Amino acid sequence: MIKKPNLPVTAEQILKTGILNQWYLVCKSSDLGATPIRLTRLGRHIALWRDAEGKAHAVEDFCPHRGAPLSHGLVVDGKLACRYHGLAVDGTGTVTDVPPVHNCPLVGRKLIEGYPVREAAGAIWLYFSDGIDDHVPELELPNELTSPEWSGFIYAQEWNCHYQLPLDNRLDPMHAIYLHADSFTLAYGVKTSVINLTETEHGFVIERDNQRGVNIDRTEVVYKPGSNVFVFTQIPYPKAAGGNFFAIVSHLTPIDEHRTYLWVMRCQKSQGWRRDLWRFLYKNRLEARHDYVIEQDRAIIEAIPAEAAGREAMIQCDIGVSRIRRMLKKIAEEQARRINEHYGALAAE
């Protein structure tokens, strides 16, 4: 009988650690320098490094010889060499050198998992596969992260909570006027709204019925298989901050069942002197205010108990929260069926 790989096999397990067959932002480009680093993402320990040309690589943080963490190792000729006995692997997880043994049969064998890596928008992205096939879709990012018409800054931080909670928060526009009532950009508007939800080709949009151009305008969820569940929110600036609006773009990257790598790109579509002005204002005034707001989110979300989901009394303004939960559950159920059908068929052979 063929043993299944270390994969979640039920929808509940997939939802705990993260949807598979997707690209995830795992760290900022500036976090990965000349020294290998260790990250935990989707419950997996990963070693990342750069070769002499600066290209990023990522593999399972496990030396196939005796299990030492490869992230403690050295970069040798672009490969990652274990500090314990010198065994080296490339970015696919294939052994390239075993210095202690001449003509070692391990050389040329793929013994640990390698992760497809892309570097874009000032960040490192990894593809997390279910291992059923070798297909890796191209990394498809929103215009806000790639177009020269947009300019932005990445905020990233580890939160001590399951990723579903900050994701729910992104689909909850009504919390802003209460939790962030002292915010420079959110302290405007009424405290009662109807949330309208509109289905789209690749997701849905939620909007407050009475706050266009005043408070949070709209939030859109876009899901394309192989990419990720991206969330877009528009927030108008008051006239005192120059008007216009800025956008928040993100997805949530699970660390494990209890921690989340939360990142958002705060960006604005502007040109010429307006672009320069916004970037200046952001670094000198707005960034600290935005960080203050997100700290309010972090403090309250980390304080929500794990058993809260079983005791919730949802109300109309939670329509976006309910919809994103159903979307993720459906994706997880389809992935669990695929995993069990594939590995069940192999075991029967």
Side-chain angles (χ1 to χ4, degrees):
M1 180 176 180
I2 297 176
K3 184 180 179 180
K4 287 184 179 181
N6 185 23
L7 284 173
V9 295
T10 67
E12 291 73 20
Q13 291 171 342
I14 291 172
L15 287 172
K16 281 184 179 180
T17 54
I19 301 298
L20 298 172
N21 298 332
Q22 292 187 165
W23 289 95
Y24 285 90
L25 188 154
V26 298
C27 66
K28 295 188 289 186
S29 292
S30 57
D31 294 333
L32 183 58
T35 303
I37 64 171
R38 174 186 173 103
L39 297 176
T40 301
R41 301 290 184 261
L42 276 70
R44 309 180 190 190
H45 301 311
I46 303 164
L48 297 94
W49 76 97
R50 293 187 185 275
D51 59 27
E53 287 71 44
K55 183 179 180 181
H57 304 272
V59 297
E60 180 183 356
D61 195 12
F62 180 90
C63 178
H65 172 217
R66 298 262 293 279
L70 289 169
S71 57
H72 289 198
L74 304 170
V75 179
V76 179
D77 295 329
K79 312 301 190 294
L80 186 56
C82 181
R83 190 177 289 273
Y84 200 14
H85 292 90
L87 181 144
V89 300
D90 64 16
T92 70
T94 300
V95 177
T96 62
D97 191 22
V98 184
V101 178
H102 293 296
N103 301 318
C104 180
L106 295 184
V107 174
R109 293 179 60 188
K110 178 178 167 58
L111 296 179
I112 59 173
E113 184 168 4
Y115 293 87
V117 183
R118 301 289 185 273
E119 187 163 4
I124 305 294
W125 308 74
L126 301 188
Y127 184 75
F128 289 80
S129 170
D130 62 12
I132 292 176
D133 58 50
D134 295 328
H135 173 67
V136 178
E138 281 305 308
L139 175 63
E140 185 176 349
L141 297 179
N143 284 338
E144 288 87 342
L145 272 61
T146 59
S147 171
E149 295 182 346
W150 287 83
S151 177
F153 302 88
I154 294 179
Y155 169 93
Q157 187 181 50
E158 291 190 6
W159 284 18
N160 294 315
C161 62
H162 187 262
Y163 73 91
Q164 185 70 57
L165 291 175
L167 181 58
D168 290 347
N169 190 65
R170 294 282 280 113
L171 275 298
D172 173 18
M174 287 306 298
H175 84 275
I177 198 64
Y178 292 92
L179 181 60
H180 309 311
D182 57 349
S183 162
F184 182 62
T185 53
L186 298 176
Y188 300 88
V190 298
K191 292 179 180 275
T192 303
S193 299
V194 173
I195 308 298
N196 296 315
L197 187 148
T198 305
E199 299 285 349
T200 64
E201 181 182 2
H202 296 291
F204 63 93
V205 173
I206 58 169
E207 298 176 277
R208 295 176 68 182
D209 68 330
N210 53 6
Q211 291 297 280
R212 249 324 176 53
V214 179
N215 204 282
I216 293 180
D217 275 357
R218 68 195 296 274
T219 295
E220 180 173 6
V221 171
V222 176
Y223 171 65
K224 296 180 180 179
S227 180
N228 206 297
V229 178
F230 280 98
V231 184
F232 306 77
T233 301
Q234 294 181 4
I235 300 180
Y237 275 128
K239 290 183 179 179
N244 204 340
F245 70 92
F246 75 101
I248 296 176
V249 182
S250 71
H251 66 244
L252 279 298
T253 302
I255 295 175
D256 53 32
E257 296 181 23
H258 309 291
R259 296 177 298 155
T260 301
Y261 184 69
L262 181 139
W263 70 271
V264 295
M265 177 72 80
R266 298 160 174 162
C267 48
Q268 188 180 78
K269 188 177 183 179
S270 54
Q271 299 295 319
W273 66 267
R274 289 186 177 275
R275 178 194 190 99
D276 295 339
L277 175 61
W278 180 74
R279 292 186 67 85
F280 175 81
L281 284 173
Y282 181 87
K283 297 305 293 185
N284 285 273
R285 297 289 182 86
L286 302 176
E287 182 175 36
R289 292 170 176 174
H290 294 173
D291 289 352
Y292 172 75
V293 167
I294 207 165
E295 274 299 300
Q296 291 177 321
D297 284 324
R298 184 195 59 77
I300 201 161
I301 288 172
E302 288 187 347
I304 295 175
E307 65 272 16
R311 300 182 59 190
E312 293 172 323
M314 306 285 272
I315 55 181
Q316 196 280 329
C317 64
D318 298 319
I319 186 171
V321 175
S322 297
R323 183 66 182 84
I324 192 66
R325 292 180 181 179
R326 292 198 307 272
M327 174 185 284
L328 293 182
K329 182 180 179 181
K330 181 179 179 181
I331 297 170
E333 288 172 345
E334 292 173 352
Q335 292 192 350
R337 176 188 55 77
R338 168 183 159 97
I339 290 170
N340 284 282
E341 286 182 356
H342 176 77
Y343 293 105
L346 287 178
E349 291 180 356

